[in-house]
Amino acid sequence: MIRQLGNVQTFLAIVLFVICFTKMRYYCIGRAFCLRSQTGRTYRKMSTTSAGAATDEVLLERTGNKGIITLNRPKALHSLSLSMVKKIYPQLKSWEMDNTMKMVLIKATGDKAFCAGGDVKTIAQSGKGSAITDEFFREEYRMNNIIGSLAIPYVSLINGIVMGGGVGISVHGPFRVVTEKAVFAMPETAIGFFPDVGASHFLPRLPGKLGLFLGLTGHRLTGRDIVKAGVGTHFVPSDRLNELEKDLIRLEAPDIHSIDKILTKYSEQWEQDFKKEFSLKQYIGRINSAFGGQSVEEIVENLKKDNSEWSKQQLDIMSRMSPMSLKLTYEELRRGHNLTLPECLKMEFRISQHCMANEDFFTGVTHLLVNKSKEPPVWKHRTLEEISAQEVDSYFQPLTAPHLFGI
Ligand SMILES: *[C@@H]1O[C@H](CO)[C@@H](O)[C@H](O)[C@H]1NC(C)=O
Ligand SMILES: *[C@@H]1O[C@H](CO)[C@@H](O)[C@H](O)[C@H]1NC(C)=O
């Protein structure tokens, strides 16, 4: 687990490097575009040329009665930028309103990542009070919400890393197909944030205390385990993904049943392997008893009392996380258990904006993603005990600015 957290940091550092690199490229491409646009070509025309299409961060296509979203920002592990979100949401809305449309498929280019999260570095670097600290979350959660209520089936093909924002763009749909290359995590407590994008809805609905464990520790699940945890719905080996996609596209009148039939057929062919034990099976008892505590402090006490190697690893992991993030996560999952997805997202939007007004998110992202430190950041609160219930509660209070969904 210690090594695993090291991996998370290495991974975050790679994401940072990649984002910087991609930005430089976009800057150059942007300049080239400016020069060319003076010749009178419109952006729309540019984007339909092969050069334009190759650099679009997200591709939106229609094939017959199906819409296909392809995340195409491979150098940043397809992490979601504000402009990607702003393209996806209106497209989903218009496909949903078009009654000739029968299915939406979302995937990503390459097999390293489906989507590694939201572009938090850009947000942190824009600084407190900048417009993006409100706009990004508002737009992203609105997109998460429409996925949860879309009138047509929404199928995610997840081949590679799926974390944070990548989970939010897939998990609320009815079909989440994962391959053996899929790596799931909600790692936000490590950067002074909290599991958002509707995590307060889906995590408390996982069996027992598994969701709380995943949210507090950022524990990673891979491949079939993602299905066993209830985050994914179907498994398909990556070398059969293209074939599966063709079968789905070939459906004349796709609906929940015909899509499920195809996905189940592919899943069942791998049932023998699927029977392999869940990697967390031997810890489920411990997870349910320790994380059944009535507060984060009680969970820590339970883990200390348990005193097993596994418990010590969890304590070590949690000791690196922002204490405020741990408490916010506990509370949002407790409340989210009884709320609808729109209610959860509204609550999360409030929390996100209170986080933007505080230090830990900026400290965490700067320390881990910008400075690439291997040590945990120095959080605003050093211990759980110095955070009062009132302070936690203040993050759930209404905002003065307009709320999400105008409520
Ligand atoms: C959720 O609902 C149950 C049953 O209605 C209730 O007992 C519980 O207190 C509620 N929890 C929260 C956090 O509101
Ligand atoms: C990041 O590094 C800079 C330069 O070394 C330092 O001044 C700053 O305090 C660091 N910030 C964090 C949050 O670690």
Side-chain angles (χ1 to χ4, degrees), residues 175-188:
F175 299 111
R176 293 95 64 178
V177 183
V178 301
T179 73
E180 76 286 356
K181 293 182 181 167
V183 182
F184 160 92
M186 293 303 285
E188 290 86 354

Side-chain angles (χ1 to χ4, degrees), residues 193-232:
F193 203 49
F194 64 99
D196 64 337
V197 297
S200 62
H201 190 258
F202 86 87
L203 286 178
R205 285 162 177 79
L206 300 183
K209 292 292 167 185
L210 182 60
L212 183 58
F213 165 71
L214 295 172
L216 289 175
T217 62
H219 183 85
R220 291 177 176 198
L221 295 171
T222 59
R224 292 176 185 81
D225 277 355
I226 302 171
V227 179
K228 290 178 203 211
V231 174

Side-chain angles (χ1 to χ4, degrees), residues 363 366-367 371:
T363 305
T366 308
H367 187 81
N371 292 4

